Amino acid sequence: MNEVVKVERHDAIAIIKINNPPVNALSAAVRQGIAAAIRSVSADPEVKGVVLACEGRTFVAGADITEFGKPPQSPGLGEVIAGIENCPKPVVAAIHGTALGGGLELALGCHFRVATKDARMGLPEVKLGLLPGAGGTQRLPRAVGPELGVKMVVTGDPIGAAEALKNGLIEEIVEGPASGAEAFMRKAIAEKRPLRKLRDDDSKLAAARADRKIFTDAAAAANKKNRGMDAPLACAEAVSWTLDVPFDEALKKERESFVKLVSGDQSKAQRYAFFAEREAAKVSGIPDGTKARPVERVAVLGAGTMGGGIAMSFVNAGIPVTIIETGEEPLNRGLGIIRKNYEATAARGGMPADAVEKRMSLLMGKVGLENVKDADLIIEAVFETMAVKKEVFTALDKHAKPGAVLASNTSYLNVNEIGSVTKRPQDVLGMHFFSPANVMKLCEIVRADKTAPDALMTAVTISKKIAKVPAVVGVCDGFVGNRMLSARSKQSEKLLFEGALPQQVDAVVTKFGIPMGPFAMGDLAGLDIGWRSRKDRGIKSEIADALCEAGRFGQKTGKGYYKYEGGSRSPLSDPDVEKLIIDTCARLGLKRRTVSDDEILERMVYPMINEGARILEEGIAARPSDIDVVWLYGYGWPVYRGGPMFYADQVGLKHIADRLSFYAKQNNDPSLEPAPLLKRLAAEGKTFASLAAKAA
Ligand code: 3HC
Ligand code: NAI
């Protein structure tokens, strides 16, 4: 029919084949090709049945996201799907890989669906700040029932073939997708199966008509989980139309809702985040064709907070891990925590009970660094001091096999210096995971001056394999994430001296969409760590020091910037803290003032953006979008705000530079002066996005 859609004939069966690598997205050419193919097979009297299949690694994975925001091209997807549904010959979708978004909507327009056993099907539009825009909100609930339907649309999570079969989304599980679908079609023709048009099938809706609670429950759950996001609520509402809005009218309303969301700021940010994540995995400045080294076994040093979570991430992906400690006691404690974590997940129904033993069997506990000798990748997660790191890397140099990649999970330390104690600095890099490491998706990969390209590729490739999002960064104090966080911490502390209270600052930050404010976060991490480190360095922080001197170390002591009652983790404002802050200011002769929420927000976010500009200028991050990826996946930056650098572009760099200059003067703080790069872009009326990629 055209370059990307062809029709094959196997006697009375026509096979429409889509071939639009890499994921068969529904570009305008694909839509035109399918529409033409359906017209042609409809008109061909010899054709008795039709198979809709895809070449390559997957069935259609959705609309072509790159077309959103551009002038629409005909035919629209809804029109193509209506063409399939109204085709007088039976049409079966042959699903393999992932049928997602518009891809599943296309399949739902077919009269039948079959899938291979490893296929996955879902409507992930909500994750892009959208709702399904081509009938998915109306046809999916008719196929699987409104309860599962609303859950799939609101969460965007796909289901596997077995669940799809059980719930009536597919007719059969087949071996080869196209051949299996063809065999199914021959059977359907022989049996004279009536064409099942989902638009006309309300059989599964009756029960829900009596009880609309599933929709209000889904909307409430969406609201709780995705605070501040428009799409999940729009999704729940659209699915509820299946109950009382005629099909064609519901499609119209769905379309209107889609158009509104697709042109809104939230979806724009979420689509940006989708591509930013994929871009971050492309490492600049390494020779084409650089291959990752094979990784079959991993060693993790340290079974503490981070070592345990890192080990779990590998085990979860089926990669065996040796976890190494200094003695039996910390080793057994660490292994015990991992087991408990798995058992808790199994008890919650998050994994089958027998998976606990399976995962634990991939984990070998050992005492002594000589046990790293079989590992292809070694990740050090021991105490955060340069002396200990150097001692460990000197020992690794002695015991690790040649070619093993030696990674440090350090939060701040200089990876060049760590590598310098080895005779193989080309194999040394940082793999900075975030706590809890088995949950948080980010892995900041720190490229040291001498890191070899293939060692870097190994870290990037393995991170993706264990379902992390890699972002390559350069060496500096705190790398990208913690360095920007430090800029924010400096301001949050200052705000307390100027007149704000912890609960006010945290409320502004959480209202913006970040899950935790700086003071609640401090309480969670433990205030004593910073206090000890300040004492060692002879630095004072009057309010934080006074809290620690009063035994308020945070959640672990039930009191910090907040109080925590009855073992709860919910922070409660504490009048004692307010008094302590006011008394400290009085003692230091500081006059407090009312600080507005607007000022708090600007001083929490703009200094971070300023630090991001310095990071770009120094080449510590190659692209502004890499910085955004760090914040989205490491610190819970709200995806509907795209990341700090994307947010900056939306606000306007001139405004940000002006406000920073203002705060620099107001507070007599030169560190708040706009960074040269920010100043230049602001003066030129440009955005961060306008910057070309630079090597990290
Ligand atoms: N449109 C355009 N490009 C897409 C795309 C899409 N829907 N899906 C993936 N791509 C691109 C990626 O950007 C990437 O490009 P690159 O190689 O240049 O970086 C390439 O395809 C491969 O993608 P991945 O690296 O993500 O490959 P994986 O194998 O890891 O994952 C996938 C495959 C599961 C299909 C994943 O790409 C994915 O989740 N895609 C998005 C699915 C989606 O959200 N679909 C809904 C779209 S909205 C819609 O359909 C609206 C409708 O209701 C009207
Ligand atoms: P932790 O104190 O919980 O665990 C460290 C473990 O290392 C202890 O169990 C200790 O017995 C073990 N250890 C010490 N020396 C060792 C050696 N020579 N060989 C083997 N094991 C040894 O510390 P945590 O929090 O897990 O931190 C580890 C590293 O991860 C640090 O570099 C830290 O900066 C970094 N990190 C910590 C994060 C966090 O939120 N806790 C986040 C990201 C990085």
Side-chain angles (χ1 to χ4, degrees):
M1 291 294 115
N2 61 19
E3 289 285 283
V4 285
V5 181
K6 303 245 181 310
V7 182
E8 280 172 25
R9 275 286 297 279
H10 295 175
D11 53 69
I13 309 291
I15 322 272
I16 301 177
K17 277 214 167 138
I18 303 169
N19 186 10
N20 184 28
V23 298
N24 288 313
L26 289 160
S27 63
V30 172
R31 299 195 304 273
Q32 283 153 13
I34 300 172
I38 289 290
R39 280 196 301 275
S40 141
V41 297
S42 299
D44 186 338
E46 311 242 302
V47 172
K48 301 287 178 246
V50 184
V51 171
L52 180 64
C54 286
E55 302 275 13
R57 67 196 217 213
T58 179
F59 191 75
V60 173
D64 185 339
I65 305 167
T66 60
E67 285 184 357
F68 294 164
K70 297 183 186 153
Q73 292 181 66
S74 199
L77 182 56
E79 199 182 314
V80 175
I81 292 171
I84 297 174
E85 201 166 45
N86 293 326
C87 176
K89 322 277 168 78
V91 185
V92 60
I95 299 171
H96 75 291
T98 44
L100 298 177
L104 182 58
E105 291 176 300
L106 191 72
L108 286 162
C110 297
H111 308 114
F112 308 106
R113 288 153 294 283
V114 297
T116 53
K117 74 170 186 309
D118 54 357
R120 299 188 66 74
M121 287 147 261
L123 293 175
E125 283 86 343
V126 70
K127 297 184 181 180
L128 297 170
L130 299 170
L131 85 169
T137 65
Q138 304 306 302
R139 288 192 183 91
L140 183 67
R142 285 175 162 85
V144 301
E147 195 157 2
L148 179 59
V150 74
K151 185 170 154 223
M152 287 176 71
V153 175
V154 168
T155 64
D157 294 335
I159 58 171
E163 203 178 344
L165 181 66
K166 195 172 107 201
N167 290 285
L169 180 53
I170 59 172
E171 266 66 32
E172 272 181 18
I173 292 179
V174 296
E175 287 278 325
S179 58
E182 188 181 327
F184 171 86
M185 184 48 76
R186 289 187 193 285
K187 221 167 34 184
I189 295 169
E191 290 168 3
K192 296 196 171 52
R193 279 213 202 183
L195 306 194
R196 184 173 175 220
K197 294 186 187 185
L198 282 170
R199 54 166 294 137
D200 297 332
D201 185 352
D202 285 3
S203 55
K204 291 195 173 175
L205 302 179
R209 284 212 169 96
D211 179 9
R212 306 182 64 101
K213 199 167 164 298
I214 50 169
F215 300 107
T216 40
D217 284 355
N223 215 3
K224 196 164 160 216
K225 189 154 175 248
N226 304 294
R227 211 165 34 94
M229 290 200 197
D230 299 333
L233 292 177
C235 284
E237 189 191 5
V239 180
S240 77
W241 297 331
T242 48
L243 302 191
D244 46 20
V245 180
F247 187 84
D248 288 330
E249 199 188 323
L251 283 198
K252 226 172 113 221
K253 281 163 74 88
E254 180 199 67
R255 191 73 210 153
E256 282 162 11
S257 191
F258 179 86
V259 168
K260 190 167 154 216
L261 288 171
V262 84
S263 55
D265 289 344
Q266 294 198 351
S267 175
K268 200 169 147 199
Q270 287 177 252
R271 278 154 23 217
Y272 163 85
F274 176 85
F275 289 113
E277 175 186 333
R278 278 146 188 89
E279 203 58 25
K282 294 171 194 153
V283 187
S284 51
I286 61 169
D288 281 351
T290 302
K291 289 229 161 30
R293 302 177 193 173
V295 175
E296 273 157 29
R297 172 166 277 280
V298 173
V300 175
L301 311 186
T305 310
M306 292 306 288
I310 295 169
M312 286 173 78
S313 302
F314 283 95
V315 164
N316 294 349
I319 300 169
V321 175
T322 310
I323 190 159
I324 297 171
E325 262 291 350
T326 46
E328 293 293 342
E329 197 276 324
L331 178 64
N332 290 334
R333 184 168 12 102
L335 288 173
I337 292 170
I338 295 176
R339 174 178 284 281
K340 258 201 191 139
N341 273 332
Y342 281 139
E343 283 170 353
T345 308
R348 275 199 316 271
M351 65 190 213
D354 63 350
V356 176
E357 290 313 321
K358 255 191 221 148
R359 295 202 189 176
M360 288 308 290
S361 72
L362 285 174
L363 198 57
M364 195 177 9
K366 292 274 180 190
V367 172
L369 285 181
E370 61 282 6
N371 292 297
V372 299
K373 60 182 186 308
D374 296 332
D376 305 300
L377 166 66
I378 301 165
I379 302 176
E380 163 280 305
V382 305
F383 302 134
E384 181 80 350
T385 65
M386 186 53 94
V388 175
K389 303 282 190 204
K390 281 187 169 171
E391 197 183 300
V392 165
F393 274 77
T394 305
L396 286 184
D397 200 22
K398 202 165 132 210
H399 296 297
K401 69 179 180 189
V405 173
L406 314 182
S408 172
N409 182 49
T410 176
S411 309
Y412 289 92
L413 299 172
N414 186 319
V415 182
N416 288 325
E417 200 178 331
I418 295 175
S420 73
V421 300
T422 70
K423 288 186 210 73
R424 39 175 133 175
Q426 73 281 1
D427 297 336
V428 177
L429 44 74
M431 283 181 83
H432 182 209
F433 293 84
F434 288 70
S435 181
N438 53 319
V439 176
M440 296 301 287
K441 288 192 75 176
L442 180 66
C443 182
E444 253 186 339
I445 295 174
V446 187
R447 176 189 210 163
D449 292 349
K450 295 192 177 154
T451 305
D454 64 337
L456 195 64
M457 272 310 279
T458 310
V460 170
T461 308
I462 198 79
S463 312
K464 285 173 72 180
K465 203 162 172 193
I466 61 170
K468 301 290 175 201
V469 179
V472 176
V473 302
V475 174
C476 67
D477 190 28
F479 317 117
V480 168
N482 283 343
R483 177 169 160 183
M484 287 167 72
L485 188 70
S486 297
R488 189 184 82 174
S489 306
K490 206 169 139 195
Q491 292 307 309
S492 55
E493 196 188 342
K494 282 190 169 186
L495 283 166
L496 296 189
F497 289 106
E498 290 171 43
L501 290 172
Q503 54 271 30
Q504 187 193 0
V505 176
D506 282 358
V508 170
V509 170
T510 51
K511 187 167 168 230
F512 181 74
I514 294 175
M516 233 184 202
F519 296 107
M521 204 166 112
D523 276 1
L524 176 69
L527 305 178
D528 52 322
I529 304 167
W531 182 45
R532 279 199 203 98
S533 139
R534 284 195 297 278
K535 274 209 242 177
D536 289 348
R537 291 177 293 152
I539 300 172
K540 268 186 152 334
S541 174
E542 304 278 353
I543 294 172
D545 292 350
L547 284 172
C548 289
E549 277 150 23
R552 304 184 70 118
F553 293 169
Q555 283 195 18
K556 60 176 121 173
T557 56
K559 282 178 178 180
Y561 284 103
Y562 296 93
K563 59 181 174 184
Y564 301 85
E565 285 176 353
S568 157
R569 285 162 174 266
S570 302
L572 300 171
S573 305
D574 189 341
D576 290 349
V577 175
E578 187 169 342
K579 183 170 179 314
L580 181 147
I581 291 172
I582 291 169
D583 289 352
T584 307
C585 290
R587 180 165 51 80
L588 298 173
L590 299 172
K591 195 165 170 309
R592 291 173 65 76
R593 64 182 169 94
T594 304
V595 185
S596 73
D597 286 359
D598 286 349
E599 173 170 352
I600 291 177
L601 183 62
E602 290 186 343
R603 287 184 56 195
M604 289 292 86
V605 178
Y606 294 180
M608 274 175 45
I609 293 166
N610 209 22
E611 203 58 43
R614 291 194 188 101
I615 282 169
L616 283 173
E617 209 157 21
E618 292 167 22
I620 298 295
R623 299 166 277 243
S625 58
D626 289 357
I627 298 180
D628 288 333
V629 164
V630 166
W631 274 83
L632 287 166
Y633 295 106
Y635 299 84
W637 182 278
V639 63
Y640 59 86
R641 293 192 198 275
M645 308 315 272
F646 178 86
Y647 176 74
D649 282 350
Q650 308 308 299
V651 172
L653 300 191
K654 180 165 181 330
H655 174 77
I656 292 176
D658 289 349
R659 296 305 291 162
L660 282 166
S661 295
F662 169 82
Y663 290 123
K665 276 186 204 78
Q666 172 187 279
N667 292 41
N668 196 18
D669 180 355
S671 76
L672 286 176
E673 283 296 350
L677 175 68
L678 175 59
K679 238 184 185 153
R680 175 169 69 75
L681 292 174
E684 291 170 358
K686 288 192 176 154
T687 57
F688 285 122
S690 69
L691 295 171
K694 285 201 291 175

